[in-house]
Amino acid sequence: MEGASRRETEIAIAGGGLAGIVAAYELLDRGRRVLLIDKDSRENFGGLAKESFGGIHLIGTPHQRRLHIHDSPELAWRDWQSVADYGQCDDWPRAWGRFYCENSREYIFEFLDQKKIEFLPLVNWPERGIHAPGNSVPRWHIVWGTGHEIIARLLAALDAHPRRTHLDLLFDTEVSGVEMTDGRATGLYSRAIDGGDVRVKAEHVIVASGGICGGDLSCVCANWYKPWGDPPRKLLNGAHRYGDGMLHTQVAALGGAVTHLDLQWHYAAGVHHPAKRRPDDGLSLVPPRSALWLNARGERIMHPGPMPVYGDTRHLVASVLAQPGQYSWQVMNWKIAIKELAVSGCDYMTAFRYKKKLALAASLFFGNKDLVERLIRDCPDDFVVADHLDDLMERMDEKSLYGLTIDRARMAATVRAWDDMIERGPAYFNDEQLRRIANARAYRGDRVRTCKFQRIVDPKARPLIAIREFILSRKSLGGIQTDLQCRVLRAADGQPIPGLYAVGEAAGFGGGGMHGKRSLEGTFLGGCVLSGRLAGRGMAS
Ligand SMILES: Cc1cc2nc3c(=O)[nH]c(=O)nc-3n(C[C@H](O)[C@H](O)[C@H](O)COP(=O)(O)OP(=O)(O)OC[C@H]3O[C@@H](n4cnc5c(N)ncnc54)[C@H](O)[C@@H]3O)c2cc1C
């Protein structure tokens, strides 16, 4: 690196997402000097968390207690292990999962609370499980103001920190490697986007560069989970544009263990993002419970039972991947859409994002008409609207791919059978999806956003809406293996590489894959806060 400019610091952090920011904050608290480098521009400081919805998995909070939800670290750990389905040798992932369950209140909730980050009073309940238990109780706490608020508050806290002068920030600069001296990490190699190498000398290095599920998706496809066969022909991108796994490769080349990259957390209800910021840019919908989920031929997906929304995200993905064409349709009507359809992330959920209490209350009582109108307008590639089922099916077929077509007679019969069963009344609900809807409506957090057994072809609920949905790539469950101090462990002997740390999604949120195969949801933001804090503490001690 002839002619490189040089910088010196105590701790160099590669990546300014939530995990890197929290680590920086902890280190300032402990009087350390920090240089944080990010490839992205200053306006995107905060990474994916800034566009996230801000749902966080927490156990034993005052919000749960107020709702008389009896939760405990023991119950949470039981649920966690049930969905994680860890492999025999997953000692570090297990240690991290357990630590999360035992310490989420102190390490995550209290930390955010001290930064004046508030949660909505109603705790949500995703990932209830299907074949194995999921969340036994609601644990998904929504930040008022979404992930945008988390980042805004944390950046304000960094700025107001009494030791703010100990922190240097460098944007538009890509970290390309870790400098090693006698087996110890001693700095970073980096390059400004507009040219010019920057060499950073540091006592410790933290890799906080996020997951592998973004970039150009080549890393996702190269690490595709083998039992699922080949990746689908169309895969939408819902992760970070710089989430290309480059630093994972660097760490592996230095002898660090990088594990479980084939365990990825995708979503089944992706549509093309209207912003089209990159090829196959995706928007992840939160699928309605009361819609019928059909395959590319218009057949109801039964894998083996109906698609259990809020049951097991990985199962939904695997079910769609097992269908012809590996994309799907959700069929509903206006009434279902305004009550149940939502978007993961903050851009479309404006009442949450801009903290509009009245708008939120109105959308809960009268439905979120603005959202549905906006989606229909902005996403013409994937949304189809019609007053009559025949017209709807014809328009769906105009969007059919790979030579597959809707079997209209079969689809019409499926919709009729569904509507007839609803007409017969709850005593005759002989369908798992309807039983799950009944169960969801028993919890008040879900009742407010779940229709009361709504027929699809209902003249009072028109128009009909069909949404063409693709698998959307989002989060890496695997990553750089770390111990509970976030020290990167060597593949050869499991010993820490001196001076080298990893946090957040880069570390599989801790331990190289603390979730195992599945998440209980909200554990991603939570895992970033937890690992960022542990790294800061571990390093300072
Ligand atoms: C729309 C959306 C909604 C979500 N909603 C939720 C939710 O409700 N709950 C939840 O728990 N999780 C949610 N998530 C997931 C969560 O936001 C992420 O998993 C988490 O924010 C990852 O944080 P991170 O700091 O590990 O990585 P990132 O946020 O990916 O940050 C990594 C940073 O590193 C930088 N970088 C990458 N490579 C380099 C390099 N070579 N050199 C320098 N810099 C580099 C990037 O520019 C980026 O700023 C959501 C994600 C999205 C996209």
Side-chain angles (χ1 to χ4, degrees), residues 16-18 21 38 40 44-52 151 240:
L18 178 60
I21 290 171
D38 201 293
D40 220 330
N44 294 328
F45 192 16
L48 289 179
K50 199 172 174 178
E51 42 181 296
S52 75
I151 293 300
H240 202 286

Side-chain angles (χ1 to χ4, degrees), residues 69-97:
I69 296 168
H70 300 289
D71 201 5
S72 67
E74 295 74 32
L75 180 62
W77 176 227
R78 209 170 68 202
D79 294 346
W80 188 299
Q81 291 177 89
S82 162
V83 301
D85 187 17
Y86 290 123
Q88 258 188 350
C89 306
D90 284 344
D91 295 338
W92 284 116
R94 252 192 207 91
W96 271 90

Side-chain angles (χ1 to χ4, degrees), residues 333-405:
N333 56 39
W334 175 256
K335 207 165 161 186
I336 294 172
I338 61 171
K339 183 112 180 139
E340 299 186 12
L341 188 61
V343 178
S344 164
C346 67
D347 282 351
Y348 277 76
M349 305 306 283
T350 48
F352 292 90
R353 156 82 173 79
Y354 297 104
K355 302 203 263 186
K356 294 181 184 166
K357 282 190 183 148
L358 277 178
L360 178 59
S363 74
L364 287 176
F365 286 110
F366 307 113
N368 197 346
K369 295 172 192 154
D370 290 347
L371 173 73
V372 178
E373 275 165 4
R374 189 174 160 199
L375 286 170
I376 291 172
R377 192 183 59 235
D378 288 359
C379 307
D381 288 348
D382 300 309
F383 276 68
V384 168
V385 181
D387 273 339
H388 301 284
L389 193 59
D390 283 343
D391 296 338
L392 188 81
M393 293 189 291
E394 196 174 319
R395 286 178 201 166
M396 287 166 72
D397 246 346
E398 287 163 12
K399 296 190 183 300
S400 284
L401 297 175
Y402 320 133
L404 296 160
T405 51

Side-chain angles (χ1 to χ4, degrees), residues 15 18-19 38-39 48-49 52 54-55 175 240 475 505 522 524-525 528:
L18 178 60
D38 201 293
K39 190 172 171 179
L48 289 179
S52 75
V175 174
H240 202 286
K475 295 148 191 159
E505 200 165 334
F524 311 108
L525 294 171
C528 288

